[in-house]
Amino acid sequence: MKNLAIIVIFLSVFSSCTKDNKENTTTADYHGKWTLVKMSGSIFNSQTTGTAMEWQEFYVFGDKGTFTKFRTRNTIQTTASGTYIAKNNQDGMVLELTYPKNSEIIGSCYGNQKEELYFSAKNTLSSTWQNCDGPGLDYQKIEIY
């Protein structure tokens, strides 16, 4: 019976260490540069990619909870920076971005200074802006900073 208790304790400790390491690996995966690769509208089959998109943009996520968003539209570059947190919800990991002031490049359903991006595939972040008739925006990781 004593051996069984030791095995249960060992497995509990081992499992919790493994879980922590897995979470750390996952959180490191989103640090770096994520570039807009696909834009879609509310009309069926209205997808654009590359230079055909209405604008070009990317995010750079730092490892200390900060990010910067860069957008180029009609040769005008706009940037906005803020903080983010990674959180898990029922659909997986979500990055919640908070901007300290309003900006035209914030893609939000609520008109506030927050955006949410979720992992729609292993290497794809997608905006929730499409949930309220905004464009569907998909980003892929390009570089690690």
Side-chain angles (χ1 to χ4, degrees), residues 9 15 18 22 44 62 105 117 121 141:
I9 291 171
S15 296
T18 303
K22 184 177 181 183
F44 184 70
I105 66 173
L117 301 171
K141 191 171 188 179

Side-chain angles (χ1 to χ4, degrees), residues 35-36 50-58 70-73:
T35 300
L36 181 64
T51 58
M53 294 185 296
E54 192 173 334
W55 64 78
Q56 304 295 310
E57 75 181 18
F58 63 91
F70 301 83
R71 179 182 288 173
T72 303
R73 183 179 198 168

Side-chain angles (χ1 to χ4, degrees), residues 1-139:
M1 193 65 157
K2 185 177 176 182
N3 289 339
L4 180 62
I6 292 172
I7 291 172
V8 169
I9 291 171
F10 175 76
L11 289 175
S12 297
V13 170
F14 181 72
S15 296
S16 60
C17 290
T18 303
K19 183 178 179 185
D20 289 343
N21 288 339
K22 184 177 181 183
E23 287 176 5
N24 289 338
T25 301
T26 303
T27 57
D29 289 344
Y30 57 80
H31 298 136
K33 182 178 180 180
W34 291 80
T35 300
L36 181 64
V37 294
K38 183 172 70 172
M39 188 180 272
S40 56
S42 57
I43 300 170
F44 184 70
N45 274 343
S46 62
Q47 296 180 354
T48 55
T49 59
T51 58
M53 294 185 296
E54 192 173 334
W55 64 78
Q56 304 295 310
E57 75 181 18
F58 63 91
Y59 293 91
V60 176
F61 292 99
D63 58 357
K64 295 183 180 176
T66 60
F67 73 93
T68 302
K69 182 178 185 179
F70 301 83
R71 179 182 288 173
T72 303
R73 183 179 198 168
N74 298 326
T75 69
I76 298 170
Q77 186 174 47
T78 307
T79 62
S81 296
T83 58
Y84 71 90
I85 58 170
K87 59 184 184 178
N88 286 312
N89 68 16
Q90 63 202 31
D91 298 323
M93 184 181 286
V94 174
L95 300 180
E96 182 180 271
L97 287 56
T98 303
Y99 296 83
K101 60 183 181 177
N102 205 12
S103 172
E104 65 183 5
I105 66 173
I106 298 173
S108 173
C109 292
Y110 306 108
N112 58 10
Q113 293 161 238
K114 291 187 182 261
E115 283 182 324
E116 284 190 345
L117 301 171
Y118 65 97
F119 287 89
S120 58
K122 182 178 179 185
N123 293 318
T124 303
L125 276 174
S126 297
S127 172
T128 59
W129 196 11
Q130 66 192 1
N131 297 342
C132 58
D133 295 330
L137 305 172
D138 292 332
Y139 303 85

